[in-house]
């Protein structure tokens, strides 16, 4: 994307133009006339650390698909010359072990192994612990999932941004899931009277429910909120929770359970008949119909964490999605799920920012120069266009649908006649405004 880029275009594209050359010098983008010509591109490989859950309940439906995509894209990019002619040397690391273990690993990767960038992290708790290290240690980090909306937001609106100079998230946060589902319910289930929730008892679950509840109360001022359940992450027995939900009288049950938790809960709920009593709204449910198979129930509300879906955008309209789906299926005999799309985004954003910065400063750019180039960048992805805003957060549209059995697929897909894409401006709060404050400001 950086081919032929001019300095003026770079300044405009990164929204740095108004700050002038003095500000650019401050972040290392302009270090004096002739500086670019003195910089070189190292001959050795660019070293990338990819961190995902490779063991435990979150590995099979989530971490491994993401890691598969990191490996696939390293191979694809290397076949095309790597990044600025440098071969990509990608190593995968396990995210299991908790936040303290991830802090220790990140310090080792940046200080001892001296990797060029860390692309990784799924858990919101891990991201909150690790991302501040980017500035402390001077290493670039691109969080590829980490849905916590509080990760890069301030305590009150308006707040200063970015929160971290070298820390980014190459995807939209959980706001798009829960706002998108509330808008979907408003359009397709307008007579809903009562909602309930079952969400994991940590930052991700608590924040997901909070945003969903605020959005639902804004769109349905008389909505009744029933039970809210908080099972521990990694629970293996949901039978008591399911019994409570079956007796709750809720029309819709919201859930941000993910990975192995979502699979275990859904299978136990199928056996107990929950889906004959109520309808689930899975905030990031897109992987689970394929993971569970034909028995996954129809008519459940499924959100895709963006427009990340193997059948959307349509392959005749967006060839990059066709290529991505076919290439992933050829290598792994499965359709890519949204963690795969998120991994693609992180890799593509980093590569594009390096090339963009190099086009201006010459040679291999510093982490600060790559950061300045990444801010405000837009890249083409299999899901459409992704924009990295001034707060270092990704901005995306979101796709929501209903599960439906369709001939030709071994698991329910999204009903082709009831898929809705809510554009980025409807589901992402502007930079500097907290998500809940933004929802409360709506006039409905």
């Amino acid at each position: 994307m950086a081919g032929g880029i001019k300095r003026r275009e770079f300044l405009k594209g990164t929204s740095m133009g108004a700050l002038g050359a003095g500000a650019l010098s401050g972040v290392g983008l302009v270090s004096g006339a002739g500086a670019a010509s003195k910089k070189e591109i190292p001959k050795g490989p660019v070293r990338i650390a990819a961190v995902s859950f490779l063991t435990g309940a979150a590995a099979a439906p989530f971490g491994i698909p993401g890691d598969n995509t990191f490996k696939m894209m390293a191979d694809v990019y290397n076949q095309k010359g790597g990044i600025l002619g440098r071969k990509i040397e990608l190593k995968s690391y396990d995210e299991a072990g908790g936040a303290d273990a991830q802090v220790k690993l990140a310090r080792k990767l940046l200080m001892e192994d001296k990797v060029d960038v860390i692309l990784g992290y799924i858990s919101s708790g891990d991201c909150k612990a690790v991302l501040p290290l980017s500035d402390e240690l001077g290493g670039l980090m691109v969080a590829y999932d980490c849905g916590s909306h509080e990760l890069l937001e301030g305590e009150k609106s308006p707040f200063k941004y970015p929160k971290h100079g070298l820390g980014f998230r190459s995807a939209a946060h959980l706001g798009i899931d829960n706002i998108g589902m509330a808008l979907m319910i408003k359009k397709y289930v307008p007579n809903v009277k009562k909602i309930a929730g079952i969400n994991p008892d940590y930052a991700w679950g608590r924040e997901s429910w909070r945003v969903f509840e605020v959005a639902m109360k804004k769109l349905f001022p008389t909505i009744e909120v029933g039970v809210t359940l908080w099972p521990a992450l990694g629970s293996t027995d949901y039978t008591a929770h399911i019994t409570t939900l079956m007796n709750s009288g809720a029309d819709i049950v919201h859930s941000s359970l993910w990975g192995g938790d979502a699979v275990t809960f859904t299978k136990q709920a199928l056996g107990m008949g929950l889906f004959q009593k109520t309808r689930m709204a899975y905030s990031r449910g897109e992987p689970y119909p394929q993971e569970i198979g034909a028995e996954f129930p129809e008519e459940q509300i499924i959100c895709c964490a963006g427009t990340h879906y193997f059948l959307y955008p349509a392959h005749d309209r967006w060839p990059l999605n066709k290529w991505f789906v076919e290439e992933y299926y050829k290598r792994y005999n499965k359709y890519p799920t949204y963690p795969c799309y998120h991994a693609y985004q992180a890799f593509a954003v980093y590569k594009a920012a390096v090339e963009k910065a190099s086009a201006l400063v010459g040679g291999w750019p510093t982490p600060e120069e790559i950061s300045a180039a990444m801010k405000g960048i837009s890249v083409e992805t299999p899901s459409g266009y992704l924009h990295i805003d001034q707060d270092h957060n990704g901005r995306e549209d979101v796709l929501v649908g209903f599960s439906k059995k369709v001939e030709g697929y071994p698991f329910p897909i999204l009903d082709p006649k009831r898929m809705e894409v809510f554009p980025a401006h409807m589901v992402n709060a502007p930079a500097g405004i907290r998500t809940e404050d933004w929802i409360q400001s709506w006039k409905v």
Side-chain angles (χ1 to χ4, degrees), residues 165-221:
L166 297 177
F168 287 80
R169 171 167 45 199
S170 56
H173 59 61
L174 59 80
I176 66 169
D177 313 324
N178 298 291
I179 295 169
M181 286 203 304
L183 293 170
M184 189 75 173
I185 293 168
K186 181 70 174 178
K187 181 169 184 176
Y188 286 94
V189 198
N191 296 322
V192 62
K193 303 294 184 186
K194 186 176 183 179
I195 58 174
I198 177 166
N199 292 279
D201 190 14
Y202 75 112
W204 160 257
R206 295 279 175 176
E207 292 177 31
S208 291
W209 170 256
R210 190 161 71 242
V211 172
F212 179 73
E213 184 180 22
V214 170
M216 286 296 292
K217 287 182 175 177
K218 192 68 179 181
L219 296 174
F220 298 87

Side-chain angles (χ1 to χ4, degrees), residues 348-358 365 369-371 373-374 377:
V349 162
Y350 173 70
K351 181 173 182 289
V354 170
E355 293 169 345
K356 182 178 178 181
S358 179
E369 291 165 345
I370 297 169
S371 170
M374 195 176 294
I377 202 169

Side-chain angles (χ1 to χ4, degrees), residues 97-130:
D100 290 345
Q102 292 310 310
V103 167
K104 184 181 295 185
L105 174 62
R107 288 186 179 278
K108 179 181 181 297
L109 292 172
L110 293 175
M111 301 303 292
E112 297 179 22
D113 300 347
K114 298 190 181 306
V115 300
D116 291 275
V117 65
I118 298 176
L119 308 178
Y121 306 111
I122 295 167
S123 163
S124 294
D126 290 343
C127 267
K128 287 184 172 180
V130 166

Side-chain angles (χ1 to χ4, degrees), residues 198 229 231 235-247 264-274:
I198 177 166
L229 306 178
S235 296
T236 56
D237 183 358
Y238 292 94
T239 54
H241 302 93
I242 293 167
T243 298
T244 300
L245 293 173
M246 291 177 70
N247 295 324
T264 301
F265 168 81
T266 302
K267 287 183 175 180
Q268 292 177 2
L270 277 164
M272 295 177 66
L274 174 68

Side-chain angles (χ1 to χ4, degrees), residues 136-186:
E136 178 189 334
L137 304 179
L140 195 63
M141 291 187 186
V142 181
Y144 90 102
D145 192 66
C146 294
S148 166
H149 69 297
E150 294 183 348
L151 178 66
L152 298 178
E153 289 189 352
E155 295 183 355
K156 61 180 181 180
S157 303
F159 60 85
K160 293 181 179 179
Y161 56 84
K163 205 168 184 178
H164 309 296
L166 297 177
F168 287 80
R169 171 167 45 199
S170 56
H173 59 61
L174 59 80
I176 66 169
D177 313 324
N178 298 291
I179 295 169
M181 286 203 304
L183 293 170
M184 189 75 173
I185 293 168
K186 181 70 174 178

Side-chain angles (χ1 to χ4, degrees), residues 52-76:
S52 294
F53 285 104
L54 304 181
T55 59
F62 209 106
I64 290 175
D67 189 62
N68 285 342
T69 305
F70 284 131
K71 292 174 180 173
M72 182 178 93
M73 293 313 302
D75 184 36
V76 169

